[in-house]
Amino acid sequence: MDYVVRAVRAEEWARAKEIRLAALRDPVASIAFLETYEQALGRPDVFWQERTAGAAAGEHSRQFIAEAPDGQWAGTVSVLVERAGGEPGFGEAAEVDQAHLVGVFVRPDHRGRGVVDALFREAIDWSWSLAGPPLERVRLYVHEANARAEASYRRIGFLPTGRTLPMEGDPAALELEFEFRRPKRPKRTERTAHTERPEHPRSPEAERGR
């Protein structure tokens, strides 16, 4: 895949605004996003500047983009850090330390090329790398009628938790919660710890040759 996946930079707020507006013009935007195109279009530049600066800083959130070989931003995903006992974000307050993926979008002409998989790998790896109490899971919500998105999330490894929320503005429709759990490291036993040690220490000469 000839895409570069990286975190957004603060000075790229105009490009962050453009791809958000493109996402809100997608045919499934009404069930994929809570914001409308008209609402986003009416926001002042300072909103986009502050939002992008916060996503670039990576303290409480992070935005990742996939950059195509021609420089176009092919897709994006944002990560919100939700700490147990903190202020509730979307849905219920966090019961464990977790991350929440939002704003998932890949331009139609870049779909089917592994872009969303690469974005999610970067977002998940970043979530596991955070300092402080380790995050236990990464979650997201998907509209029950958004079969294309749900299939992508299941392929990547997200599983339904059984939790649902009524869709904002349409209480008859449901948002389904999916999660990706932090992998558990196997416990080191005395036998594995012994076998992992080299039989003989390296000599200084060997070390210099590395």
Side-chain angles (χ1 to χ4, degrees):
M1 187 186 76
D2 296 327
Y3 294 85
V4 175
V5 178
R6 61 172 177 81
V8 71
R9 305 181 185 110
E11 65 272 16
E12 296 176 317
W13 64 269
R15 300 191 71 184
K17 174 183 177 180
E18 186 279 327
I19 197 169
R20 177 64 174 177
L21 292 176
L24 294 173
R25 289 194 297 268
D26 193 82
V28 299
S30 63
I31 61 173
F33 306 107
L34 298 179
E35 185 180 33
T36 67
Y37 174 80
E38 289 73 23
Q39 289 171 333
L41 187 63
R43 299 190 186 278
D45 287 348
V46 66
F47 168 84
W48 300 101
Q49 291 163 357
E50 292 176 352
R51 175 168 159 164
T52 308
E59 184 176 356
H60 304 293
S61 64
R62 193 75 154 172
Q63 182 179 3
F64 295 96
I65 59 96
E67 196 167 39
D70 62 0
Q72 184 187 44
W73 285 10
T76 182
V77 64
S78 293
V79 191
L80 308 179
V81 179
E82 300 173 330
R83 293 292 182 181
E87 290 294 324
F90 181 76
E92 302 172 346
E95 297 177 356
V96 299
D97 294 314
Q98 62 189 24
H100 188 168
L101 302 189
V102 298
V104 182
F105 175 66
V106 176
R107 296 183 195 271
D109 52 338
H110 292 278
R111 292 171 186 166
R113 303 182 186 183
V115 174
V116 70
D117 302 66
L119 285 166
F120 272 46
R121 281 196 301 271
E122 196 72 19
I124 292 170
D125 287 348
W126 179 80
S127 300
W128 298 160
S129 75
L130 291 175
L135 303 190
E136 295 187 21
R137 67 176 190 150
V138 177
R139 70 166 180 167
L140 55 81
Y141 280 92
V142 60
H143 192 283
E144 61 182 347
N146 198 345
R148 185 191 71 198
E150 180 179 336
S152 294
Y153 303 152
R154 286 180 179 274
R155 187 188 70 249
I156 292 168
F158 281 77
L159 297 174
T161 66
R163 292 184 176 183
T164 63
L165 287 175
M167 176 70 175
E168 186 174 309
D170 184 10
L174 294 178
E175 296 271 2
L176 314 178
E177 185 189 57
F178 281 67
E179 69 174 8
F180 188 100
R181 284 277 172 178
R182 189 186 192 100
K184 293 183 179 180
R185 294 184 177 180
K187 293 183 179 179
R188 288 168 59 89
T189 64
E190 184 177 344
R191 177 179 176 82
T192 58
H194 173 75
T195 56
E196 287 174 1
R197 287 196 295 268
E199 294 183 5
H200 303 288
R202 285 180 176 269
S203 67
E205 290 76 16
E207 288 294 326
R208 285 196 292 270
R210 291 178 66 182

